[in-house]
Amino acid sequence: MSDFQRVLRLFSTIFLVSALLAGALAGLDAWFHIPLADFLVKKLADIMFACVTACGGVIAGQKLESRNHRQRD
């Protein structure tokens, strides 16, 4: 497994865990009316957005690397 795949797997795992936690927290808030739930869901959404942005950056960087590598050959 390459470093590229490891980084993508890390960010996708963080994204998945954040999404699951946000969904569970929203459900708990609907049932029990937790005071900080809105704040926590927004923070988890920020984390998910950062993961999507990071994955896009990693993929773009990988494409640039492969393009530069092809030009050298």
Side-chain angles (χ1 to χ4, degrees):
M1 180 182 299
S2 69
D3 291 339
F4 170 71
Q5 291 171 330
R6 286 186 184 133
V7 169
L8 282 181
R9 185 171 288 179
L10 172 70
F11 284 129
S12 63
T13 302
I14 293 170
F15 179 86
L16 180 64
V17 169
S18 296
L20 291 173
L21 284 174
L25 196 56
L28 286 173
D29 181 42
W31 192 265
F32 295 113
H33 303 293
I34 301 170
L36 286 177
D38 289 337
F39 173 76
L40 292 175
V41 168
K42 288 177 185 175
K43 289 300 170 190
L44 289 169
D46 291 343
I47 291 170
M48 291 188 297
F49 180 70
C51 287
V52 169
T53 304
C55 285
V58 168
I59 291 171
Q62 180 68 16
K63 286 185 179 183
L64 286 173
E65 282 274 328
S66 66
R67 189 179 304 156
N68 289 339
H69 183 66
R70 275 188 262 148
Q71 286 178 353
R72 284 187 218 139
D73 292 340

